[in-house]
Amino acid sequence: MAAAIETEHLRRRFGARLAVDDVSMTVPERAVYGFLGRNGAGKTTTLKMLLGLIRPSGGAARIHGVDIARDRMAAARKVGALLEAHGFYGNLTGAENLALTATLLGAPAREIDRVLEIVEMRADAGRKVAGYSLGMRQRLALARALLGAPPVLILDEPTNGLDPDGIADMRGFLRSLPERTGATVLLSSHLLGEIEQIATHVGVIHDGRLVLEGPLSRLKADLAPEILLRTDDDARARTLLGGRSVSPADTGLAVALRPGEDADQAAAALNQILVQAGLAVFALGAREQSLEDIYRRVAAPAYPKAEAA
Ligand SMILES: Nc1ncnc2c1ncn2[C@@H]1O[C@H](COP(=O)(O)OP(=O)(O)OP(=O)(O)O)[C@@H](O)[C@H]1O
Ligand SMILES: [Mg+2]
């Protein structure tokens, strides 16, 4: 797979602070790449550099092979963007704001209806943006990013301010976009659960450094599942399973799988050992590791749980 976005040793300094430190990331074509990091990690700064809005202090970035420093306009033409500060004109309507961008892009007027339809904002498109709610502004910003059907979308926290229905709609839309249009999506979030539900690929940024990157499926496979079990005598169970790595879990015990071991086979084998020894097995099953587990290992130990949406 060719890369839609590639950075090499990208850096950005603000005074003494290195906001982005040696970031080399690869976003494959047609990926939905979740760029994950806590507040202040460097997500927005990285995305702004990719959009040519701020200059890197070092390193390089390419969008579909076009170097953003050498040919900023050609790179920008390939990208639709949504950033925190939308910069809409409050005294113009939603449709008028989109018309300004469509004119700049040389996109036909029917594009405005198309993108308003996608974000379900046709009913409010005739109202002044000054009277929009936060979620409505966010939808309008996504509509603007979609104008002209750019091959690359760069979205900074796109679900910010959306209600649960809006978040679900946005998720479904972004997830299906690569297949429907061939586009590549790079989106940032501080919510693990959200990335896990949308992304095909993940990059984790922590203190300005990219600490982890890869397909979501591979990252999950790298962390073998555990078998969680509970018996009437966990202390004895632990002794019986002495040949394995066993640790206490919230309730009962967690048994690590051996490299390459099948979870179902392991569960059956463990069950047999315990039952044959006369223990009552109350519960036994595989637990898949989530992105949250991955994040805990590489970054912050006390990362807040993703909000339920
Ligand atoms: N214009 C600026 N001047 C000085 N420091 C800045 C500027 N922009 C960002 N920073 C600093 O760079 C670091 C990274 O900020 P950035 O906005 O990229 O984080 P983020 O990952 O987008 O966080 P959030 O989740 O809060 O949006 C922070 O320490 C921030 O204070
Ligand atoms: Mg940010």
Side-chain angles (χ1 to χ4, degrees), residues 172-245:
F173 172 76
L174 294 177
R175 222 172 11 207
S176 65
L177 201 66
E179 201 170 296
R180 286 190 292 113
T181 71
T184 303
V185 181
L186 166 57
L187 67 102
S188 74
S189 177
H190 60 279
L191 296 178
L192 298 157
E194 171 154 295
I195 296 287
E196 205 165 12
Q197 289 183 59
I198 302 184
T200 58
H201 292 69
V202 180
V204 179
I205 187 168
H206 187 62
D207 279 346
R209 302 188 74 104
L210 195 69
V211 291
L212 194 73
E213 183 182 64
L216 183 60
S217 56
R218 201 188 73 213
L219 296 182
K220 283 182 144 183
D222 281 352
L223 288 178
E226 302 170 320
I227 306 288
L228 292 183
L229 60 86
R230 199 157 56 79
T231 68
D232 62 344
D233 189 350
D234 285 345
R236 193 152 161 252
R238 215 171 165 160
T239 315
L240 287 166
L241 305 175
R244 290 175 170 271
S245 157

Side-chain angles (χ1 to χ4, degrees), residues 7-304:
T7 75
E8 267 169 32
H9 309 293
L10 202 58
R11 276 191 300 116
R12 171 68 202 208
R13 189 180 286 286
F14 292 112
R17 183 192 300 274
L18 253 183
V20 173
D21 183 6
D22 198 33
V23 166
S24 298
M25 70 196 289
T26 305
V27 182
E29 264 185 54
R30 293 167 158 262
V32 177
Y33 185 107
F35 194 32
L36 184 67
R38 54 172 29 170
N39 294 141
K43 302 180 296 294
T44 299
T45 305
T46 303
L47 300 185
K48 280 185 172 168
M49 286 193 279
L50 290 173
L51 293 168
L53 298 174
I54 55 175
R55 246 183 245 281
S57 311
R62 284 181 297 275
I63 296 186
H64 279 294
V66 178
D67 188 295
I68 55 164
R70 252 179 253 143
D71 202 347
R72 194 168 91 91
M73 287 315 291
R77 269 198 294 275
K78 296 175 186 291
V79 180
L82 178 158
L83 288 170
E84 281 160 21
H86 299 143
F88 290 124
Y89 293 97
N91 59 338
L92 298 182
T93 67
E96 287 167 346
N97 271 283
L98 293 184
L100 286 176
T101 305
T103 305
L104 272 176
L105 292 171
R110 64 172 183 280
E111 265 293 280
I112 296 167
D113 277 338
R114 184 185 72 90
V115 297
L116 282 170
E117 181 77 45
I118 291 172
V119 301
E120 291 176 24
M121 279 290 290
R122 287 184 72 159
D124 296 298
R127 290 176 54 195
K128 287 189 177 177
V129 169
Y132 275 13
S133 70
L134 176 60
M136 290 162 72
R137 282 166 205 257
Q138 196 73 354
R139 283 169 188 263
L140 189 67
L142 178 66
R144 183 175 57 189
L146 295 170
L147 276 172
V152 176
L153 284 176
I154 294 182
L155 312 172
D156 198 10
E157 314 245 4
T159 54
N160 243 359
L162 295 181
D163 57 32
D165 281 347
I167 291 176
D169 288 349
M170 174 82 87
R171 261 191 209 137
F173 172 76
L174 294 177
R175 222 172 11 207
S176 65
L177 201 66
E179 201 170 296
R180 286 190 292 113
T181 71
T184 303
V185 181
L186 166 57
L187 67 102
S188 74
S189 177
H190 60 279
L191 296 178
L192 298 157
E194 171 154 295
I195 296 287
E196 205 165 12
Q197 289 183 59
I198 302 184
T200 58
H201 292 69
V202 180
V204 179
I205 187 168
H206 187 62
D207 279 346
R209 302 188 74 104
L210 195 69
V211 291
L212 194 73
E213 183 182 64
L216 183 60
S217 56
R218 201 188 73 213
L219 296 182
K220 283 182 144 183
D222 281 352
L223 288 178
E226 302 170 320
I227 306 288
L228 292 183
L229 60 86
R230 199 157 56 79
T231 68
D232 62 344
D233 189 350
D234 285 345
R236 193 152 161 252
R238 215 171 165 160
T239 315
L240 287 166
L241 305 175
R244 290 175 170 271
S245 157
V246 184
S247 54
D250 288 346
T251 59
L253 301 171
V255 183
L257 290 189
R258 294 170 175 142
E261 191 177 22
D262 178 76
D264 288 341
Q265 300 290 336
L270 294 178
N271 187 50
Q272 198 174 15
I273 293 171
L274 298 171
V275 170
Q276 274 177 0
L279 267 66
V281 178
F282 300 143
L284 187 143
R287 174 185 162 277
E288 269 211 48
Q289 307 249 18
S290 70
L291 185 55
E292 191 161 343
D293 299 306
I294 297 175
Y295 193 89
R296 281 228 175 81
R297 281 180 23 156
V298 297
Y303 198 78

